[in-house]
Amino acid sequence: MVYDKLSSITKRIINDPNAAIDNDEACELATTTHNAIDLIISANKIRETYKADDTFTCSIINAKSGACSEDCAFCPQSAFYKTKARTYPLLDKSKIVERAIEMWNGGANKFSMVTSGYALTEKELDLICEAAILIKEKTGLSLCGSLGVLNEDIAERLKASGLTNYHHNLETARSFFDQVCTTHPYDDDIKSVKIAARAGFKVCSGGIMGLGESWEQRIELAFTLKELDVESIPLNFINPIPGTKMAERPLLAPMDALKCIALYRLINPLKDITICGGREISLGDYQSWTFLAGANGLMVGDYLTTMGRGLKIDMEMIRNMEI
Ligand code: SF4
């Protein structure tokens, strides 16, 4: 029954990317598909149709770490929690540029400067803009920033310095946000995503699966992102860090993580879906299934506060998938 339904949905989306699944279909598939394989097969066909030639890797630098004023329940960088995450102010320009060159030479296509905190100060903005100009001079990386909430002036200056992408996660569904963050409203994040889009950035916005939200709330987030028309959706999976509010949260089972990716592809057939933090710990041996489940991008190298498994191994995995 589910198989028949999925085959007809797959054909429908392959014929017309605007005929993606709606909220009711997504909820039904999420709750009736106990075996993720059928969903994965469907998502892979859709990825092959629309994203086969659009596979990419992202890399980041945690340019400023810890001491954040926000209380995001999963985040070891929040000043509300006592964790082992490193705390340091904005790195020197030379260090940021050096890391970008290293990632470019290692095969990454995109590079993002990421800072902890609600928003950049004026001085930090100056340094980030100077680093961006140098990175553009020295590499062919597509440049992204994840630098907190935006206003029009900050967006304009970042754009003029060569950033083409802006990343700002919504983290979770609006209906679950109060369980995740209480120091700023959901609408601040929505507003930043809209400002980034208006400034002409390719906007990257997604969230974390496994914070305790329901399948309906995972789907709610997917539809909020669809409505915002973001170009790229980064999906993270819970990595419970000791000291944070989410320290005791269980990991997502690998098949549930793959199911999330597949559902996001069925909801957003034309968008980039990038698999980011928590990949190693949640997917384990199934990491090489990320593209089969519908993703077309992978974050490589280290994450913000946790280590990746190394650029070389990730690049080899992508080559071996021969997609
Ligand atoms: S997720 Fe970002 S805003 Fe939230 S606590 Fe961590 S660094 Fe601060």
Side-chain angles (χ1 to χ4, degrees):
M1 185 65 184
V2 173
Y3 179 80
D4 290 345
K5 183 154 195 172
L6 260 174
S7 334
S8 107
I9 286 173
T10 310
K11 276 189 208 137
R12 189 181 87 201
I13 300 175
I14 285 173
N15 285 333
D16 177 6
N18 295 316
I21 55 174
D22 62 23
N23 189 73
D24 291 347
E25 286 175 317
C27 290
E28 191 187 338
L29 287 173
T31 46
T32 56
T33 324
H34 299 300
N35 177 348
I37 302 292
D38 292 340
L39 264 179
I40 290 169
I41 292 169
S42 169
N44 188 44
K45 286 184 183 154
I46 295 165
R47 181 193 60 78
E48 278 179 340
T49 306
Y50 296 116
K51 289 290 177 185
D53 300 326
D54 199 2
T55 298
F56 61 87
T57 53
C58 290
S59 56
I60 58 169
I61 182 167
N62 193 2
K64 177 188 165 199
S65 184
C68 181
S69 58
E70 305 309 293
D71 71 348
C72 305
F74 56 85
C75 183
Q77 299 199 66
S78 165
F80 285 75
Y81 314 122
K82 205 162 176 264
T83 70
K84 289 190 176 154
R86 289 202 299 153
T87 296
Y88 51 82
L90 190 58
L91 294 174
D92 285 348
K93 200 167 48 187
S94 59
K95 279 213 174 105
I96 300 175
V97 177
E98 206 176 284
R99 165 91 166 163
I101 294 172
E102 186 195 327
M103 288 294 129
W104 171 245
N105 291 338
N109 320 115
K110 301 187 184 190
F111 182 72
S112 183
M113 295 178 279
V114 186
T115 53
S116 62
Y118 181 73
L120 289 178
T121 64
E122 194 62 32
K123 213 168 146 202
E124 289 168 343
L125 178 62
D126 288 345
L127 190 145
I128 290 285
C129 291
E130 286 163 22
I133 290 166
L134 283 171
I135 294 168
K136 291 306 284 182
E137 275 171 23
K138 291 174 191 287
T139 73
L141 285 162
S142 148
L143 205 48
C144 177
S146 181
L147 307 161
V149 298
L150 283 179
N151 61 33
E152 273 81 7
D153 292 342
I154 299 176
E156 208 172 290
R157 283 201 52 201
L158 292 171
K159 194 90 201 341
S161 306
L163 269 76
T164 47
N165 299 44
Y166 199 79
H167 168 265
H168 193 82
N169 272 351
L170 300 183
E171 310 301 7
T172 191
R174 183 188 284 276
S175 64
F176 192 67
F177 192 68
D178 63 352
Q179 304 291 307
V180 175
C181 180
T182 63
T183 43
H184 68 265
Y186 201 68
D187 282 328
D188 283 9
D189 297 320
I190 297 270
K191 192 174 162 199
S192 286
V193 167
K194 288 183 174 170
I195 289 174
R198 275 203 300 274
F201 285 109
K202 212 176 151 189
V203 181
C204 180
S205 180
I208 306 178
M209 306 286 114
L211 299 176
E213 74 288 342
S214 62
W215 278 106
E216 284 78 5
Q217 285 164 326
R218 288 172 192 158
I219 289 161
E220 182 189 330
L221 173 62
F223 278 98
T224 303
L225 297 166
K226 189 180 178 97
E227 206 176 301
L228 288 166
D229 200 24
V230 301
E231 296 268 348
S232 178
I233 303 175
L235 289 182
N236 301 270
F237 305 110
I238 179 72
N239 182 358
I241 306 286
T244 64
K245 257 197 201 168
M246 297 273 170
E248 302 303 324
R249 279 231 60 80
L251 292 176
L252 267 191
M255 282 298 151
D256 279 347
L258 293 169
K259 193 163 144 181
C260 292
I261 304 171
L263 282 168
Y264 270 61
R265 174 56 70 209
L266 266 66
I267 294 168
N268 290 289
L270 295 176
K271 301 302 183 185
D272 287 335
I273 296 178
T274 313
I275 305 311
C276 306
R279 160 166 65 93
E280 286 88 351
I281 194 168
S282 264
L283 289 169
D285 286 346
Y286 291 91
Q287 278 186 77
S288 56
W289 287 41
T290 45
F291 289 142
L292 294 175
N296 63 313
L298 202 64
M299 181 168 286
V300 293
D302 294 335
Y303 305 111
L304 285 177
T305 58
T306 53
M307 302 284 281
R309 57 182 189 165
L311 188 56
K312 269 195 185 152
I313 300 175
D314 283 339
M315 297 311 283
E316 196 181 327
M317 178 180 83
I318 292 171
R319 275 193 299 275
N320 288 340
M321 285 194 277
E322 287 182 345
I323 56 167

